[in-house]
Amino acid sequence: MSQDRIGFIGLSSMGAAIAERFADAEVTLTVCDLNPANLEPFKAAGVSIAASPREVADVCDIVFSCLPSTSASIDVALGEDGVVHGQAVKIYVDTATIGMKTATKIAEGLPKSIGFVDAPVSGGPPGARAGTLSTMASGPREHFDRVQPWLSVMAKNVFYMGEKPGVAQIAKLINNNLSAAGRLAAFEGFVLALKAGLDPHALLEVINVSSGRNYTTTDKMKAAILSGSFKFNGHLGNSIKDEALLIDEASDLGVPLWVAPRLLETLKAAAESGYLDKDSMFVIQFMGEQAGLDVQARMKGAK
């Protein structure tokens, strides 16, 4: 493990947080990102910088990526300057939520000399920095076994989901769908509470010792909503991407869905109201507006 040279491509808020774990582990690390500003903290820390994914794969044994879209994942893996052309890389690990079809396309597009593991993560940038992420991985067992020690550097909980490319993606999409369902249900409930005149702090105490508690009520409501910050490190656009991927995968598999389409409809409505590039916490603001409430102003005024 200690002799592997590690590469990391994609240093947005999530990718940078994961890459920091590798930098702190004092490994031989090379990073790459299109945005020069994202590279500066790593350059200042003495981490090697590469100009392209291919350049990373030319000098690293194991290459990780964390990218914002399926198209970016395909381009970084299989594009003209992609990992596919690297001379040193043995295993490529994609940690983004890209869906089964994209994971399969990447696995089939790489030569036999480059193993592929899809390992989407859950827990957000705070979890990445704290080392408390969960990751679900799929791919040939020998490739998973090779990268498992490195997955454990970035994640506390590492789960092997199977040999078939992309089955880890299905697990991640199901997790994200459950998270979105809990989040939107909590948001509409708290808008109803505000309209009815309930104290949201008191309601949160009730819910968190009762059967309705979920990750939004136990963590997000206090940190992001009751605080008035409306920030929890997840853009609405990513929520829309993940929900659409779930629906697409279910359609391909012939599985009917009832809740997910309604969730996506709600997320898209919030995006169309001007919140696409905002944190997903702003969906509660959108819901409040439909009820004639300025939720963020109420929360800031109540602090």
Side-chain angles (χ1 to χ4, degrees):
M1 171 179 166
S2 61
Q3 295 180 351
D4 285 328
R5 297 165 297 175
I6 303 299
F8 204 97
I9 303 165
L11 302 172
S12 60
S13 58
M14 188 66 190
I18 298 173
E20 287 169 12
R21 296 287 303 175
F22 290 113
D24 290 343
E26 299 182 350
V27 304
T28 302
L29 179 65
T30 300
V31 299
C32 176
D33 193 273
L34 291 175
N35 186 345
N38 291 343
L39 294 167
E40 286 304 319
F42 293 91
K43 186 183 296 185
V47 174
S48 297
I49 307 298
S52 69
R54 180 175 187 167
E55 189 174 311
V56 174
D58 276 339
V59 298
C60 295
D61 305 293
I62 299 174
V63 177
F64 289 80
S65 69
C66 185
L67 301 158
S69 67
T70 55
S71 60
S73 285
I74 292 170
D75 187 54
V76 163
L78 306 177
E80 184 176 344
D81 266 333
V83 172
V84 65
H85 302 293
Q87 298 301 303
V89 61
K90 300 296 187 295
I91 301 179
Y92 175 55
V93 183
D94 193 320
T95 68
T97 304
I98 57 176
M100 179 180 277
K101 286 190 293 188
T102 298
T104 301
K105 182 174 183 176
I106 292 172
E108 293 177 347
L110 292 172
K112 291 183 178 179
S113 59
I114 304 176
F116 177 64
V117 174
D118 64 289
V121 295
S122 180
R129 292 191 172 90
T132 58
L133 290 180
S134 294
T135 185
M136 301 129 270
S138 55
R141 184 78 204 205
E142 62 181 302
H143 298 153
F144 169 78
D145 288 344
R146 173 74 186 276
V147 300
Q148 192 276 333
W150 294 114
L151 293 174
S152 295
V153 170
M154 71 179 197
K156 178 180 180 181
N157 305 298
V158 179
F159 301 96
Y160 181 60
M161 306 306 294
E163 297 255 343
K164 186 178 180 180
V167 292
Q169 295 293 327
I170 298 298
K172 176 64 191 306
L173 290 171
I174 292 169
N175 175 78
N176 285 10
N177 180 59
L178 291 169
S179 178
R183 181 166 68 253
L184 297 191
F187 285 174
E188 68 180 11
F190 273 80
V191 168
L192 176 61
L194 288 171
K195 193 73 174 184
L198 273 73
D199 178 349
H201 295 81
L203 177 61
L204 188 63
E205 289 184 10
V206 170
I207 291 172
N208 281 338
V209 294
S210 304
S211 59
R213 66 186 179 276
N214 59 52
Y215 184 47
T216 293
T217 67
T218 58
D219 292 72
K220 294 180 180 181
M221 288 300 302
K222 184 176 181 180
I225 305 303
L226 298 187
S227 70
S229 72
F230 282 39
K231 292 181 180 179
F232 206 82
N233 298 302
H235 282 94
L236 177 56
N238 288 335
S239 296
I240 292 172
K241 170 185 74 75
D242 293 351
E243 207 63 41
L245 276 173
L246 175 87
I247 293 170
D248 188 40
E249 299 286 0
S251 176
D252 286 347
L253 293 168
V255 177
L257 299 174
W258 291 267
V259 176
R262 180 58 175 151
L263 296 178
L264 181 59
E265 179 184 335
T266 304
L267 294 170
K268 285 184 173 180
E272 291 167 1
S273 291
Y275 295 111
L276 177 61
D277 296 322
K278 298 277 191 180
D279 194 293
S280 66
M281 297 297 99
F282 275 91
V283 173
I284 196 173
Q285 180 72 6
F286 162 74
M287 289 179 170
E289 289 166 358
Q290 311 315 300
L293 296 172
D294 185 336
V295 178
Q296 190 172 35
R298 286 278 195 101
M299 294 301 98
K300 288 182 177 179
K303 288 196 299 178

